[in-house]
Amino acid sequence: LAPTFLLYLGGLAGLSLIMLPGLFLGASYLSTRLSGTGGATTRQRWTGSAYALVPLAATAWMALAMGFLSSGGAYLASVVSDPLGRGWDLFGTASIQWRPLFPVALPYLQASAILVGLAWSLAILGRRPEWSLPANGRQWLGLAPVAALFLGVTAAFLWLFLG
């Protein structure tokens, strides 16, 4: 394997397996300190934060799939008409020229999906039992570090998809 690919692979593994989980653990620790424990440990808050990330991750995958659908979906009509690539025109659609589907609306659809995922994740985060603290006025302050991390992940997704 090429050294640059190994460097890329190492960086990706470090980001995925060490850096991002470490950031979530740090945000959970900071949340515990800011809000008071209320019976929930940092570990419980860390796992609760992970559950709340599911909608954001799912909508990020949807946004990625929208891009594939936009670029590859236009081929469907011609492929159905000539499924084996033998020059057939079974449905009269083999000669349709390729054009991305909804190219103008795609960034708005992707951004909307990711923002819906953020809102859904924050709603789940606020309802997790680890965050149910006595009404000391500090429980919402405790949500701030994890919510800020969710906002950062969302900003990274938006930058990735929209440039």
Side-chain angles (χ1 to χ4, degrees):
L1 295 172
T4 54
F5 179 71
L6 290 176
L7 183 64
Y8 166 76
L9 192 60
L12 183 63
L15 178 72
S16 304
L17 301 174
I18 297 168
M19 190 176 145
L20 286 175
L23 283 172
F24 280 106
L25 182 60
S28 299
Y29 175 80
L30 187 57
S31 291
T32 302
R33 295 298 159 248
L34 286 174
S35 65
T37 59
T41 65
T42 299
R43 181 179 176 181
Q44 290 169 326
R45 292 191 179 185
W46 185 41
T47 56
S49 300
Y51 288 121
L53 266 178
V54 171
L56 183 57
T59 56
W61 274 108
M62 283 185 211
L64 182 67
M66 285 179 204
F68 291 137
L69 177 67
S70 174
S71 63
Y75 284 116
L76 189 59
S78 61
V79 168
V80 167
S81 199
D82 186 12
L84 301 176
R86 298 196 177 243
W88 301 344
D89 197 2
L90 299 175
F91 302 105
T93 58
S95 63
I96 291 179
Q97 294 297 317
W98 176 81
R99 240 184 15 216
L101 302 174
F102 48 88
V104 175
L106 182 62
Y108 298 107
L109 293 171
Q110 288 175 319
S112 298
I114 292 171
L115 292 174
V116 165
L118 172 65
W120 194 358
S121 287
L122 291 175
I124 288 174
L125 183 66
R127 289 193 309 260
R128 293 289 305 162
E130 300 84 25
W131 300 99
S132 299
L133 301 173
N136 60 5
R138 293 175 21 183
Q139 63 268 33
W140 295 110
L141 182 62
L143 283 172
V146 177
L149 193 55
F150 283 17
L151 286 169
V153 169
T154 301
F157 281 142
L158 289 173
W159 174 80
L160 182 68
F161 287 113
L162 307 177

